């Protein structure tokens, strides 16, 4: 087997919390256990929420954890020309149309909501005439037409996940009205251009994989292998997020050694039978996707922090 090329693609909008650390750890272990390499990419499309300084803190945190990357590819803020070219290809093929729907229209009753909180776009702006388009007098977002086709993800962690793009998602936005390219397009072009063959990230992004696979087909990229890791939750069921300051690395680095944190996470995730200090390098020798828990991982924070 050719060694995989994985990637870790954080959004530098705050300090990493335990859930981010977990996703980074598994992405790293998965490629390293197969002798592959890992790319690092800053996903800073949202310039309001992200900053180069936070990107630098992220790099330092990854190094502290013992998760060095093999190469850093350009941040998304410097990749506009590549996204523009991909957008042009889709436009030339007649696959894009302008959408004038407002946020409140999109959340209206006739848009059926999915269990994950997203909604299926009902195609409101698909058939507008030029005259109707001109009447809006504002800049549109751009949507990609999707086919009535099922995409199958053979996920390393979640098993098979199937989504029909038409009934499960609908035509989706690839460029916002303010001109900013959206995550789905940017991530597909970046992973494709830099030869990523294995995408490991949180299960909250599993529903995005079919859209990205469709974009890969349209833009001439191969499908990578996917592994969507479970989310970490606290005992009370709440999902850990960047809001939990007590669980970010700014706090945890003060009280824990990296091997202790890595060992504790690996134990909670089913990779180790007992709690022990261990480095990612040592853990890579024991890593297997079979051992990793598939369901939400409810972590005992009192045990970590106590
Ligand atoms: N930038 C995304 C995040 O920080 C991850 C995107 C991806 O891995 O595809 O959640």
């Amino acid at each position: 087997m050719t060694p995989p090329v994985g990637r870790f693609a954080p959004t530098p909008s705050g300090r990493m919390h335990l859930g981010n650390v977990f996703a980074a750890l598994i992405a790293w272990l998965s490629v390293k256990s197969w002798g592959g390499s890992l790319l690092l990419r800053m996903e800073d499309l949202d310039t309001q929420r992200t900053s180069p300084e936070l990107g630098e803190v992220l790099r330092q945190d990854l190094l502290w954890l013992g998760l060095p990357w093999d190469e850093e590819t350009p941040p998304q803020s410097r990749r506009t020309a590549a996204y523009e070219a991909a957008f042009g290809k889709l436009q030339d093929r007649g696959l894009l149309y302008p959408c004038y729907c407002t946020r409140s229209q999109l959340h209206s009753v006739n848009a059926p909501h999915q269990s994950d909180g997203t909604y299926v776009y009902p195609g409101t702006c698909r058939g507008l005439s030029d005259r109707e388009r001109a009447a809006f007098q504002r800049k549109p977002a751009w949507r990609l037409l999707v086919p009535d086709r099922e995409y199958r993800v053979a996920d390393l962690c979640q098993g098979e996940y199937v989504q029909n793009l038409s009934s499960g998602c609908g035509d989706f936005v690839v460029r916002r009205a303010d001109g900013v390219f959206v995550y789905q397009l940017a991530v597909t072009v970046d992973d494709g251009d830099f030869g990523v063959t294995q995408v490991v990230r949180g299960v909250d992004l599993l529903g995005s994989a079919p859209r990205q696979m469709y974009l890969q087909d349209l833009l001439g990229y191969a499908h990578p292998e996917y592994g969507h890791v479970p989310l970490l939750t606290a005992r009370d069921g709440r999902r850990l997020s960047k809001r939990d300051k007590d669980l970010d690395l700014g706090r945890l680095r003060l009280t824990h050694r990296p091997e202790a944190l890595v060992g504790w996470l690996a134990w909670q995730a089913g990779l180790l039978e007992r709690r022990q200090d261990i480095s990612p390098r040592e853990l890579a020798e024991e890593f297997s996707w079979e051992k990793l828990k598939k369901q939400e991982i409810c972590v005992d924070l009192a045990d970590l922090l106590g």
Side-chain angles (χ1 to χ4, degrees):
M1 194 187 93
T2 326
V5 178
R7 51 41 153 209
F8 180 52
T11 303
S13 61
R15 208 71 191 251
M16 281 207 263
H17 61 83
L18 272 180
N20 304 130
V21 173
F22 179 60
L25 175 67
I26 304 302
W28 193 93
L29 290 173
S30 179
V31 290
K32 294 297 167 183
S33 66
W34 276 313
S37 54
L38 193 86
L39 308 180
L40 174 65
R41 171 176 79 232
M42 295 297 163
E43 301 218 316
D44 58 352
L45 280 176
D46 183 347
T47 48
Q48 305 290 311
R49 277 176 54 235
T50 60
S51 75
E53 292 72 29
L54 285 168
E56 189 46 36
V57 175
L58 248 153
R59 286 185 201 94
Q60 295 307 323
D61 281 344
L62 287 171
L63 293 175
W64 180 83
L65 284 161
L67 302 174
W69 53 97
D70 295 276
E71 191 192 329
E72 180 163 355
T73 61
Q76 292 187 325
S77 57
R78 299 217 339 255
R79 295 269 299 151
T80 311
Y83 309 148
E84 194 88 55
F87 182 84
K89 270 193 204 170
L90 301 173
Q91 198 155 38
D92 290 347
R93 290 177 60 179
L95 292 167
L96 301 180
Y97 64 86
C99 171
Y100 299 87
C101 290
T102 59
R103 199 174 283 268
S104 59
Q105 271 173 307
L106 292 172
H107 287 87
S108 71
V109 278
N110 54 15
H113 287 254
Q114 304 266 81
S115 56
D116 65 357
T118 58
Y119 45 83
V120 179
Y121 182 66
T124 320
C125 290
R126 195 186 298 145
L128 296 182
S129 65
D130 287 346
R131 181 192 285 257
E132 285 169 317
R133 284 172 183 167
F136 281 104
Q137 295 190 331
R138 62 171 184 263
K139 284 207 155 84
W142 289 87
R143 282 188 189 268
L144 175 64
L145 286 165
V146 300
D148 178 12
R149 177 176 162 191
E150 274 184 355
Y151 269 88
R152 273 166 205 280
V153 185
D155 198 83
L156 288 165
C157 191
Q158 305 298 326
E160 184 171 85
Y161 172 77
V162 185
Q163 188 188 68
N164 179 299
L165 280 181
S166 167
S167 60
C169 169
D171 301 337
F172 61 93
V173 173
V174 290
R175 189 173 203 172
R176 299 193 328 213
D178 61 5
V180 175
F181 292 101
V182 309
Y183 161 74
Q184 304 293 354
L185 183 81
V187 95
T188 304
V189 173
D190 285 341
D191 286 342
D193 282 358
F194 294 102
V196 168
T197 62
Q198 189 180 95
V199 171
V200 174
R201 58 190 175 192
V203 73
D204 51 331
L205 289 168
L206 178 60
S208 288
R211 268 170 282 176
Q212 293 169 17
M213 289 164 80
Y214 172 50
L215 278 166
Q216 286 150 13
D217 288 346
L218 294 176
L219 297 170
Y221 300 120
H223 294 167
E225 187 172 37
Y226 287 102
H228 288 89
V229 303
L231 299 179
L232 303 186
T233 55
R235 282 257 180 263
D236 59 8
R238 105 195 120 91
R239 182 179 149 188
L240 306 187
S241 79
K242 284 185 181 162
R243 283 188 298 274
D244 295 301
K245 285 272 176 270
D246 51 337
L247 296 171
D248 76 19
L249 279 188
R251 156 73 172 76
L252 294 170
R253 277 182 65 165
L254 298 175
T255 46
H256 292 71
R257 295 193 318 114
E259 295 82 7
L261 211 52
V262 165
W264 180 82
L265 270 173
W267 170 59
Q268 297 273 321
L271 295 176
L272 291 175
E273 273 167 27
R274 56 182 182 85
R275 185 174 182 175
Q276 68 183 88
D277 292 2
I278 192 166
S279 68
R281 172 87 29 225
E282 291 165 299
L283 195 55
E285 285 162 31
E286 323 203 3
F287 176 79
S288 85
W289 280 97
E290 285 80 56
K291 284 194 235 166
L292 190 73
K293 288 187 186 161
K294 312 284 180 272
Q295 312 293 336
E296 221 169 64
I297 300 174
C298 178
V299 292
D300 188 350
L301 296 171
D303 176 59
L304 175 71
L305 300 170

